[in-house]
Amino acid sequence: SSDLYLLAKSYNKNDIVVLIFGSDRPAIEPEYPFKTFYAGRLNDHNSLAMLYNALDVFVTPSLGESFGMTTLESIACGTPVVCFDIGGAQDIIQHKINGYKAIYKDSNDLANGISYCLQNNMDIFASKKFDEEFCMNLHKENINEVLNS
């Protein structure tokens, strides 16, 4: 949340709305410098797609992410992603093209990434290497290679 306070130095508190999803409102709610809403858990694809499409930018401040399914979902819905340059994000996000990869554990750079995505029109796309058919064909090729060796 320190990155939100860094953003608050550059933006009016009415310019940004924070939407937190994936968890319910905490018992002790942290103070944020912007209006904050909690969407809780969304369990169906349509609700998730509508949520991602409603966002101007998706921020995933995870410090340890093996793949980053939410990152891929956001990109697939055309929403830029700001994240730390770790894990699966390294393969999914093309820096300053479909998102922003901030320096690991650097709240200032994460805030810079949010500003960058809000201020720039980004060409959002999901790489073909994450396409279901493409992945299945790669698996088939690998299986055939093993079977034929």
mmCIF file of all heavy atoms in Angstrom, residues 57-95:
data_model
loop_
_atom_site.group_PDB
_atom_site.id
_atom_site.type_symbol
_atom_site.label_atom_id
_atom_site.label_comp_id
_atom_site.label_asym_id
_atom_site.label_seq_id
_atom_site.Cartn_x
_atom_site.Cartn_y
_atom_site.Cartn_z
ATOM 1 N N VAL A 57 -6.027 -0.186 -15.109
ATOM 2 C CA VAL A 57 -4.745 -0.871 -14.899
ATOM 3 C C VAL A 57 -4.936 -1.908 -13.793
ATOM 4 O O VAL A 57 -5.694 -1.685 -12.852
ATOM 5 C CB VAL A 57 -3.607 0.123 -14.554
ATOM 6 C CG1 VAL A 57 -3.871 0.861 -13.252
ATOM 7 C CG2 VAL A 57 -2.257 -0.565 -14.500
ATOM 8 N N PHE A 58 -4.295 -3.054 -13.951
ATOM 9 C CA PHE A 58 -4.331 -4.101 -12.936
ATOM 10 C C PHE A 58 -2.968 -4.134 -12.265
ATOM 11 O O PHE A 58 -1.941 -4.196 -12.942
ATOM 12 C CB PHE A 58 -4.640 -5.458 -13.587
ATOM 13 C CG PHE A 58 -4.601 -6.619 -12.628
ATOM 14 C CD1 PHE A 58 -5.593 -6.780 -11.674
ATOM 15 C CD2 PHE A 58 -3.567 -7.541 -12.674
ATOM 16 C CE1 PHE A 58 -5.557 -7.842 -10.774
ATOM 17 C CE2 PHE A 58 -3.524 -8.605 -11.788
ATOM 18 C CZ PHE A 58 -4.520 -8.757 -10.839
ATOM 19 N N VAL A 59 -2.951 -4.074 -10.951
ATOM 20 C CA VAL A 59 -1.699 -4.078 -10.203
ATOM 21 C C VAL A 59 -1.620 -5.352 -9.386
ATOM 22 O O VAL A 59 -2.531 -5.662 -8.619
ATOM 23 C CB VAL A 59 -1.599 -2.848 -9.263
ATOM 24 C CG1 VAL A 59 -0.275 -2.852 -8.517
ATOM 25 C CG2 VAL A 59 -1.772 -1.564 -10.052
ATOM 26 N N THR A 60 -0.537 -6.087 -9.569
ATOM 27 C CA THR A 60 -0.303 -7.279 -8.768
ATOM 28 C C THR A 60 1.043 -7.107 -8.071
ATOM 29 O O THR A 60 2.090 -7.330 -8.666
ATOM 30 C CB THR A 60 -0.393 -8.573 -9.608
ATOM 31 O OG1 THR A 60 -0.096 -9.684 -8.771
ATOM 32 C CG2 THR A 60 0.504 -8.567 -10.812
ATOM 33 N N PRO A 61 1.020 -6.674 -6.819
ATOM 34 C CA PRO A 61 2.262 -6.367 -6.110
ATOM 35 C C PRO A 61 2.911 -7.576 -5.440
ATOM 36 O O PRO A 61 3.666 -7.444 -4.486
ATOM 37 C CB PRO A 61 1.804 -5.347 -5.069
ATOM 38 C CG PRO A 61 0.397 -5.758 -4.763
ATOM 39 C CD PRO A 61 -0.159 -6.283 -6.057
ATOM 40 N N SER A 62 2.629 -8.754 -5.957
ATOM 41 C CA SER A 62 3.158 -9.985 -5.365
ATOM 42 C C SER A 62 4.683 -10.001 -5.413
ATOM 43 O O SER A 62 5.292 -9.645 -6.415
ATOM 44 C CB SER A 62 2.606 -11.191 -6.132
ATOM 45 O OG SER A 62 3.161 -12.371 -5.623
ATOM 46 N N LEU A 63 5.283 -10.461 -4.321
ATOM 47 C CA LEU A 63 6.742 -10.586 -4.266
ATOM 48 C C LEU A 63 7.209 -11.979 -4.637
ATOM 49 O O LEU A 63 8.406 -12.225 -4.752
ATOM 50 C CB LEU A 63 7.248 -10.230 -2.856
ATOM 51 C CG LEU A 63 6.976 -8.800 -2.410
ATOM 52 C CD1 LEU A 63 7.440 -8.588 -0.973
ATOM 53 C CD2 LEU A 63 7.645 -7.800 -3.330
ATOM 54 N N GLY A 64 6.280 -12.897 -4.815
ATOM 55 C CA GLY A 64 6.622 -14.260 -5.203
ATOM 56 C C GLY A 64 5.490 -14.868 -6.010
ATOM 57 O O GLY A 64 4.442 -15.158 -5.471
ATOM 58 N N GLU A 65 5.683 -15.023 -7.289
ATOM 59 C CA GLU A 65 4.625 -15.497 -8.175
ATOM 60 C C GLU A 65 5.240 -16.479 -9.153
ATOM 61 O O GLU A 65 6.104 -16.128 -9.945
ATOM 62 C CB GLU A 65 4.043 -14.300 -8.940
ATOM 63 C CG GLU A 65 2.774 -14.559 -9.668
ATOM 64 C CD GLU A 65 1.561 -14.596 -8.762
ATOM 65 O OE1 GLU A 65 1.391 -13.710 -7.930
ATOM 66 O OE2 GLU A 65 0.787 -15.549 -8.911
ATOM 67 N N SER A 66 4.799 -17.741 -9.095
ATOM 68 C CA SER A 66 5.395 -18.737 -9.984
ATOM 69 C C SER A 66 4.905 -18.596 -11.417
ATOM 70 O O SER A 66 5.674 -18.730 -12.356
ATOM 71 C CB SER A 66 5.116 -20.155 -9.474
ATOM 72 O OG SER A 66 3.729 -20.389 -9.447
ATOM 73 N N PHE A 67 3.629 -18.295 -11.624
ATOM 74 C CA PHE A 67 3.137 -18.135 -12.989
ATOM 75 C C PHE A 67 2.427 -16.810 -13.190
ATOM 76 O O PHE A 67 2.715 -16.093 -14.116
ATOM 77 C CB PHE A 67 2.216 -19.295 -13.392
ATOM 78 C CG PHE A 67 1.650 -19.113 -14.781
ATOM 79 C CD1 PHE A 67 2.477 -19.221 -15.884
ATOM 80 C CD2 PHE A 67 0.328 -18.788 -14.987
ATOM 81 C CE1 PHE A 67 1.982 -19.026 -17.169
ATOM 82 C CE2 PHE A 67 -0.180 -18.596 -16.266
ATOM 83 C CZ PHE A 67 0.665 -18.723 -17.354
ATOM 84 N N GLY A 68 1.501 -16.482 -12.361
ATOM 85 C CA GLY A 68 0.784 -15.216 -12.488
ATOM 86 C C GLY A 68 -0.464 -15.321 -13.339
ATOM 87 O O GLY A 68 -0.593 -14.630 -14.343
ATOM 88 N N MET A 69 -1.370 -16.188 -12.958
ATOM 89 C CA MET A 69 -2.597 -16.371 -13.726
ATOM 90 C C MET A 69 -3.397 -15.079 -13.828
ATOM 91 O O MET A 69 -3.943 -14.766 -14.881
ATOM 92 C CB MET A 69 -3.447 -17.486 -13.099
ATOM 93 C CG MET A 69 -4.605 -17.892 -13.942
ATOM 94 S SD MET A 69 -3.997 -18.521 -15.516
ATOM 95 C CE MET A 69 -5.414 -19.361 -16.100
ATOM 96 N N THR A 70 -3.470 -14.297 -12.758
ATOM 97 C CA THR A 70 -4.219 -13.043 -12.812
ATOM 98 C C THR A 70 -3.571 -12.068 -13.794
ATOM 99 O O THR A 70 -4.272 -11.309 -14.459
ATOM 100 C CB THR A 70 -4.345 -12.390 -11.422
ATOM 101 O OG1 THR A 70 -3.039 -12.199 -10.865
ATOM 102 C CG2 THR A 70 -5.199 -13.235 -10.486
ATOM 103 N N THR A 71 -2.259 -12.113 -13.890
ATOM 104 C CA THR A 71 -1.550 -11.272 -14.855
ATOM 105 C C THR A 71 -1.967 -11.645 -16.275
ATOM 106 O O THR A 71 -2.307 -10.785 -17.086
ATOM 107 C CB THR A 71 -0.028 -11.431 -14.681
ATOM 108 O OG1 THR A 71 0.330 -11.011 -13.362
ATOM 109 C CG2 THR A 71 0.747 -10.611 -15.692
ATOM 110 N N LEU A 72 -1.968 -12.925 -16.572
ATOM 111 C CA LEU A 72 -2.356 -13.401 -17.895
ATOM 112 C C LEU A 72 -3.828 -13.109 -18.179
ATOM 113 O O LEU A 72 -4.188 -12.688 -19.286
ATOM 114 C CB LEU A 72 -2.071 -14.894 -18.016
ATOM 115 C CG LEU A 72 -2.235 -15.493 -19.403
ATOM 116 C CD1 LEU A 72 -1.360 -14.795 -20.428
ATOM 117 C CD2 LEU A 72 -1.901 -16.973 -19.370
ATOM 118 N N GLU A 73 -4.692 -13.298 -17.179
ATOM 119 C CA GLU A 73 -6.117 -13.008 -17.361
ATOM 120 C C GLU A 73 -6.331 -11.531 -17.696
ATOM 121 O O GLU A 73 -7.121 -11.197 -18.583
ATOM 122 C CB GLU A 73 -6.893 -13.367 -16.094
ATOM 123 C CG GLU A 73 -7.017 -14.842 -15.833
ATOM 124 C CD GLU A 73 -7.572 -15.162 -14.444
ATOM 125 O OE1 GLU A 73 -7.599 -14.275 -13.560
ATOM 126 O OE2 GLU A 73 -7.971 -16.319 -14.250
ATOM 127 N N SER A 74 -5.645 -10.648 -16.983
ATOM 128 C CA SER A 74 -5.783 -9.224 -17.225
ATOM 129 C C SER A 74 -5.348 -8.857 -18.642
ATOM 130 O O SER A 74 -6.058 -8.135 -19.352
ATOM 131 C CB SER A 74 -4.958 -8.439 -16.197
ATOM 132 O OG SER A 74 -5.106 -7.055 -16.410
ATOM 133 N N ILE A 75 -4.208 -9.362 -19.060
ATOM 134 C CA ILE A 75 -3.706 -9.083 -20.410
ATOM 135 C C ILE A 75 -4.680 -9.618 -21.451
ATOM 136 O O ILE A 75 -4.969 -8.954 -22.454
ATOM 137 C CB ILE A 75 -2.296 -9.696 -20.603
ATOM 138 C CG1 ILE A 75 -1.279 -8.986 -19.700
ATOM 139 C CG2 ILE A 75 -1.857 -9.648 -22.054
ATOM 140 C CD1 ILE A 75 -1.091 -7.522 -19.976
ATOM 141 N N ALA A 76 -5.216 -10.814 -21.230
ATOM 142 C CA ALA A 76 -6.167 -11.402 -22.176
ATOM 143 C C ALA A 76 -7.427 -10.557 -22.314
ATOM 144 O O ALA A 76 -8.076 -10.573 -23.351
ATOM 145 C CB ALA A 76 -6.526 -12.822 -21.739
ATOM 146 N N CYS A 77 -7.746 -9.785 -21.272
ATOM 147 C CA CYS A 77 -8.915 -8.901 -21.310
ATOM 148 C C CYS A 77 -8.564 -7.496 -21.795
ATOM 149 O O CYS A 77 -9.424 -6.611 -21.821
ATOM 150 C CB CYS A 77 -9.564 -8.833 -19.929
ATOM 151 S SG CYS A 77 -10.386 -10.372 -19.468
ATOM 152 N N GLY A 78 -7.312 -7.271 -22.162
ATOM 153 C CA GLY A 78 -6.909 -5.976 -22.700
ATOM 154 C C GLY A 78 -6.567 -4.928 -21.669
ATOM 155 O O GLY A 78 -6.559 -3.736 -21.962
ATOM 156 N N THR A 79 -6.281 -5.354 -20.444
ATOM 157 C CA THR A 79 -5.957 -4.422 -19.365
ATOM 158 C C THR A 79 -4.474 -4.516 -19.030
ATOM 159 O O THR A 79 -3.974 -5.607 -18.762
ATOM 160 C CB THR A 79 -6.790 -4.737 -18.105
ATOM 161 O OG1 THR A 79 -8.174 -4.669 -18.458
ATOM 162 C CG2 THR A 79 -6.511 -3.751 -16.988
ATOM 163 N N PRO A 80 -3.754 -3.379 -19.058
ATOM 164 C CA PRO A 80 -2.318 -3.418 -18.740
ATOM 165 C C PRO A 80 -2.079 -3.838 -17.298
ATOM 166 O O PRO A 80 -2.922 -3.616 -16.422
ATOM 167 C CB PRO A 80 -1.851 -1.978 -18.976
ATOM 168 C CG PRO A 80 -3.075 -1.149 -18.846
ATOM 169 C CD PRO A 80 -4.227 -2.017 -19.282
ATOM 170 N N VAL A 81 -0.914 -4.446 -17.060
ATOM 171 C CA VAL A 81 -0.566 -4.968 -15.739
ATOM 172 C C VAL A 81 0.699 -4.298 -15.230
ATOM 173 O O VAL A 81 1.683 -4.150 -15.958
ATOM 174 C CB VAL A 81 -0.334 -6.496 -15.800
ATOM 175 C CG1 VAL A 81 0.139 -7.025 -14.459
ATOM 176 C CG2 VAL A 81 -1.594 -7.209 -16.227
ATOM 177 N N VAL A 82 0.660 -3.909 -13.966
ATOM 178 C CA VAL A 82 1.851 -3.424 -13.271
ATOM 179 C C VAL A 82 2.202 -4.467 -12.228
ATOM 180 O O VAL A 82 1.351 -4.885 -11.445
ATOM 181 C CB VAL A 82 1.613 -2.052 -12.611
ATOM 182 C CG1 VAL A 82 2.833 -1.622 -11.812
ATOM 183 C CG2 VAL A 82 1.252 -1.012 -13.654
ATOM 184 N N CYS A 83 3.451 -4.911 -12.243
ATOM 185 C CA CYS A 83 3.891 -5.959 -11.326
ATOM 186 C C CYS A 83 5.391 -5.814 -11.097
ATOM 187 O O CYS A 83 6.051 -5.026 -11.758
ATOM 188 C CB CYS A 83 3.585 -7.331 -11.930
ATOM 189 S SG CYS A 83 4.377 -7.587 -13.524
ATOM 190 N N PHE A 84 5.890 -6.584 -10.156
ATOM 191 C CA PHE A 84 7.331 -6.652 -9.980
ATOM 192 C C PHE A 84 7.901 -7.609 -11.019
ATOM 193 O O PHE A 84 7.236 -8.546 -11.455
ATOM 194 C CB PHE A 84 7.693 -7.106 -8.562
ATOM 195 C CG PHE A 84 7.408 -6.071 -7.515
ATOM 196 C CD1 PHE A 84 6.456 -6.301 -6.535
ATOM 197 C CD2 PHE A 84 8.076 -4.854 -7.509
ATOM 198 C CE1 PHE A 84 6.179 -5.352 -5.565
ATOM 199 C CE2 PHE A 84 7.814 -3.893 -6.555
ATOM 200 C CZ PHE A 84 6.864 -4.142 -5.577
ATOM 201 N N ASP A 85 9.126 -7.373 -11.426
ATOM 202 C CA ASP A 85 9.778 -8.158 -12.481
ATOM 203 C C ASP A 85 10.294 -9.481 -11.908
ATOM 204 O O ASP A 85 11.496 -9.673 -11.715
ATOM 205 C CB ASP A 85 10.916 -7.338 -13.092
ATOM 206 C CG ASP A 85 11.481 -7.962 -14.349
ATOM 207 O OD1 ASP A 85 10.874 -8.908 -14.876
ATOM 208 O OD2 ASP A 85 12.548 -7.502 -14.805
ATOM 209 N N ILE A 86 9.337 -10.382 -11.637
ATOM 210 C CA ILE A 86 9.678 -11.693 -11.074
ATOM 211 C C ILE A 86 8.757 -12.754 -11.661
ATOM 212 O O ILE A 86 7.721 -12.448 -12.232
ATOM 213 C CB ILE A 86 9.528 -11.727 -9.530
ATOM 214 C CG1 ILE A 86 8.090 -11.347 -9.134
ATOM 215 C CG2 ILE A 86 10.544 -10.852 -8.845
ATOM 216 C CD1 ILE A 86 7.688 -11.881 -7.793
ATOM 217 N N GLY A 87 9.118 -13.982 -11.490
ATOM 218 C CA GLY A 87 8.265 -15.120 -11.826
ATOM 219 C C GLY A 87 7.696 -15.079 -13.225
ATOM 220 O O GLY A 87 8.344 -14.666 -14.177
ATOM 221 N N GLY A 88 6.447 -15.499 -13.341
ATOM 222 C CA GLY A 88 5.787 -15.586 -14.631
ATOM 223 C C GLY A 88 5.622 -14.252 -15.327
ATOM 224 O O GLY A 88 5.536 -14.196 -16.552
ATOM 225 N N ALA A 89 5.575 -13.170 -14.562
ATOM 226 C CA ALA A 89 5.422 -11.839 -15.166
ATOM 227 C C ALA A 89 6.551 -11.536 -16.143
ATOM 228 O O ALA A 89 6.351 -10.819 -17.121
ATOM 229 C CB ALA A 89 5.371 -10.775 -14.082
ATOM 230 N N GLN A 90 7.717 -12.084 -15.885
ATOM 231 C CA GLN A 90 8.854 -11.840 -16.773
ATOM 232 C C GLN A 90 8.564 -12.313 -18.190
ATOM 233 O O GLN A 90 9.065 -11.732 -19.152
ATOM 234 C CB GLN A 90 10.108 -12.530 -16.242
ATOM 235 C CG GLN A 90 10.576 -11.940 -14.934
ATOM 236 C CD GLN A 90 11.650 -12.783 -14.267
ATOM 237 O OE1 GLN A 90 11.617 -14.007 -14.334
ATOM 238 N NE2 GLN A 90 12.598 -12.119 -13.636
ATOM 239 N N ASP A 91 7.766 -13.372 -18.338
ATOM 240 C CA ASP A 91 7.415 -13.895 -19.653
ATOM 241 C C ASP A 91 6.137 -13.290 -20.209
ATOM 242 O O ASP A 91 5.964 -13.206 -21.421
ATOM 243 C CB ASP A 91 7.243 -15.416 -19.591
ATOM 244 C CG ASP A 91 8.536 -16.140 -19.282
ATOM 245 O OD1 ASP A 91 9.591 -15.677 -19.744
ATOM 246 O OD2 ASP A 91 8.489 -17.162 -18.579
ATOM 247 N N ILE A 92 5.238 -12.869 -19.346
ATOM 248 C CA ILE A 92 3.926 -12.394 -19.782
ATOM 249 C C ILE A 92 3.958 -10.914 -20.163
ATOM 250 O O ILE A 92 3.390 -10.516 -21.172
ATOM 251 C CB ILE A 92 2.871 -12.635 -18.680
ATOM 252 C CG1 ILE A 92 2.753 -14.133 -18.378
ATOM 253 C CG2 ILE A 92 1.520 -12.060 -19.080
ATOM 254 C CD1 ILE A 92 1.944 -14.452 -17.133
ATOM 255 N N ILE A 93 4.624 -10.109 -19.355
ATOM 256 C CA ILE A 93 4.610 -8.662 -19.551
ATOM 257 C C ILE A 93 5.789 -8.222 -20.411
ATOM 258 O O ILE A 93 6.929 -8.589 -20.158
ATOM 259 C CB ILE A 93 4.667 -7.917 -18.191
ATOM 260 C CG1 ILE A 93 3.483 -8.311 -17.314
ATOM 261 C CG2 ILE A 93 4.702 -6.403 -18.390
ATOM 262 C CD1 ILE A 93 2.140 -8.036 -17.924
ATOM 263 N N GLN A 94 5.472 -7.423 -21.432
ATOM 264 C CA GLN A 94 6.502 -6.757 -22.219
ATOM 265 C C GLN A 94 6.529 -5.321 -21.724
ATOM 266 O O GLN A 94 5.577 -4.561 -21.928
ATOM 267 C CB GLN A 94 6.217 -6.861 -23.703
ATOM 268 C CG GLN A 94 6.349 -8.289 -24.199
ATOM 269 C CD GLN A 94 6.258 -8.369 -25.696
ATOM 270 O OE1 GLN A 94 5.574 -7.575 -26.324
ATOM 271 N NE2 GLN A 94 6.947 -9.340 -26.261
ATOM 272 N N HIS A 95 7.623 -4.978 -21.056
ATOM 273 C CA HIS A 95 7.755 -3.708 -20.344
ATOM 274 C C HIS A 95 7.400 -2.512 -21.229
ATOM 275 O O HIS A 95 7.926 -2.344 -22.317
ATOM 276 C CB HIS A 95 9.192 -3.589 -19.818
ATOM 277 C CG HIS A 95 9.407 -2.423 -18.917
ATOM 278 N ND1 HIS A 95 8.727 -2.271 -17.732
ATOM 279 C CD2 HIS A 95 10.225 -1.345 -19.024
ATOM 280 C CE1 HIS A 95 9.136 -1.162 -17.141
ATOM 281 N NE2 HIS A 95 10.036 -0.587 -17.916
#
